[in-house]
Amino acid sequence: MRGPTGGQLSDSSRQQAMSDFLRREAPLANVVGFGHGVKWADGRPTGEQAVLVFVTQKVPESMLPERDVVPRQMDDGTPTDVIAVGHVAAQRSTGRGRSVPSARGDEQQAGRPEVSEQLAQLSQPLLEELGGLGAFEPQLLKRRMRPCPSGFSVGNVRVTAGTLGSVVYDFLPGATVDPPGAGLGVPSKFYILSNNHVLADSNRAQLGSAILQPGTFDGGQDPGDRIATLERFITIQFAPQIPLERHNNVVDAALGSVDFQDATRETYFSGAPRAWRRKANVAVGDLVKKTGRTTNISFGRIIAVDATIDVNYGTAGTARFKDQILTTNISAGGDSGSLVTSQDNVAVGLLFAGSSVVTVSNHIENVRALLRVEIAEQLA
């Protein structure tokens, strides 16, 4: 990460910049998150590193109280850049392809030549190069499949539908065979990986409850379409029960115990993840892809790798997530749980939220560590 004069920004400088915003007595109006990326000028990325301030929509400074104006630079001289990201929400299916009942802020972005439009255009050359690869029949990943490839519709019996991200297994130190434990006399347990809000209904589902494929919104019924049972999940902290400034959310992730023959690590359209990538090696500008229940296969670029952002979960509340990956928009409602990978199938993140402008994903390193599972035995 380079500073305004081309020097390297230290981790302490990054943390200080974030703290300067988060410790304010009153939050900036319209601001939903922060991160680090590159500054934009005249609709183009300059390559100059900056603290990014994410807002639902841009408002002229003349219309804002002075206390709500984002400073042009941090105390250490690092420039800031305001990015309109719309309304960010957890992307479980609502049947409308969106996960927010009202997208008023997103609609106000339409037709405006702002940075948000330029972000969306970042992935366009890649889509054109790949031709019609993203134009698939919309029902393709919503049907029942056994064994079920990653990328298909799935969900707890209590929810509508999300996406089966991958098949993972308990971490076995020193295991070098596939499937893990083969020939070692070690019993293996396999899981489907997706989001907490897909498999565990945002903390509300009981362990052992049924997970269906396809999800209920796509016609799945219990017990005929049961593919797994809820094994464990990482609890999400929500406001107003817990104030946003006290949230320590880093993943929206859960596991369902599955029989090995009922699901596969093969991601539809892409193949199995061949490795996973540490956070330190995920960079702004990287090309990524995902396969999901609603928008099939889609491609984009990383905007920020360490974002703090507030996510709307509807009736469950709002949750603040730290250390997140933001990309150009590669998702819609129902794509939650999709595995985000590099173009050569290295696992990078677990998709869980987004808007009409951006998509938000957990770092796969955090998911792997907190759930204590392995997604691929190689590190890239």
Side-chain angles (χ1 to χ4, degrees), residues 35-344:
H36 289 85
V38 298
K39 190 172 178 62
W40 291 66
D42 299 322
R44 295 180 179 276
T46 64
E48 179 183 16
Q49 299 299 321
V51 173
L52 305 182
V53 182
F54 305 119
V55 298
T56 53
Q57 59 179 317
K58 282 192 172 182
V59 177
E61 286 189 14
S62 59
M63 297 178 61
L64 289 171
E66 184 177 351
R67 67 177 181 275
D68 289 329
V69 175
V70 176
R72 301 278 180 174
Q73 61 182 27
M74 306 306 298
D75 292 342
D76 65 356
T78 305
T80 63
D81 206 11
V82 178
I83 306 294
V85 298
H87 293 271
V88 178
Q91 290 191 312
R92 187 171 72 195
S93 175
T94 63
R96 296 188 294 271
R98 301 287 296 263
S99 39
V100 186
S102 171
R104 183 168 173 260
D106 291 343
E107 291 165 359
Q108 289 176 342
Q109 294 297 327
R112 296 177 64 182
E114 295 182 345
V115 170
S116 57
E117 293 184 8
Q118 298 295 328
L119 292 177
Q121 292 170 11
L122 265 177
S123 57
Q124 191 59 37
L126 179 63
L127 292 175
E128 292 173 354
E129 178 182 337
L130 294 171
L133 196 54
F136 295 103
E137 198 277 319
Q139 300 300 317
L140 191 60
L141 304 183
K142 301 176 185 178
R143 67 186 191 273
R144 188 184 194 275
M145 289 284 285
R146 296 294 185 277
C148 185
S150 302
F152 273 71
S153 169
V154 75
N156 189 281
V157 69
R158 294 169 50 100
V159 307
T160 51
T163 294
L164 194 165
S166 189
V167 172
V168 297
Y169 46 90
D170 285 320
F171 178 69
L172 297 173
T176 58
V177 292
D178 190 14
L184 301 177
V186 180
S188 297
K189 194 166 186 179
F190 296 90
Y191 311 95
I192 59 171
L193 170 66
S194 190
N195 297 140
N196 174 324
H197 75 271
V198 172
L199 300 186
D201 192 24
S202 302
N203 305 338
R204 294 174 288 208
Q206 295 293 315
L207 295 179
S209 58
I211 295 168
L212 309 182
Q213 195 290 308
T216 58
F217 188 81
D218 298 321
Q221 296 183 351
D222 191 35
D225 295 310
R226 185 182 300 190
I227 192 173
T229 55
L230 181 62
E231 179 79 11
R232 59 183 181 262
F233 59 88
I234 305 303
T235 301
I236 300 172
Q237 297 174 312
F238 290 107
Q241 295 91 338
I242 300 174
L244 286 171
E245 58 270 18
R246 290 169 50 194
H247 286 192
N248 291 305
N249 299 310
V250 290
V251 301
D252 178 342
L255 300 174
S257 180
V258 64
D259 289 337
F260 182 69
Q261 69 270 17
D262 285 339
T264 171
R265 294 178 66 244
E266 293 291 321
T267 301
Y268 210 69
F269 306 128
S270 295
R274 63 176 184 84
W276 62 277
R277 181 160 293 160
R278 292 193 187 279
K279 294 186 295 182
N281 295 327
V282 180
V284 172
D286 284 354
L287 293 171
V288 292
K289 64 179 178 178
K290 78 97 188 61
T291 296
R293 171 249 182 214
T294 304
T295 59
N296 300 306
I297 190 167
S298 52
F299 307 86
R301 290 184 187 270
I302 293 177
I303 301 167
V305 297
D306 59 354
T308 294
I309 195 157
D310 296 340
V311 178
N312 176 14
Y313 279 78
T315 58
T318 298
R320 175 168 291 171
F321 283 81
K322 302 174 182 178
D323 197 23
Q324 301 302 298
I325 301 170
L326 256 66
T327 67
T328 53
N329 181 24
I330 58 173
S331 61
D335 286 330
S336 277
S338 301
L339 187 67
V340 178
T341 73
S342 64
Q343 300 302 298
D344 57 349

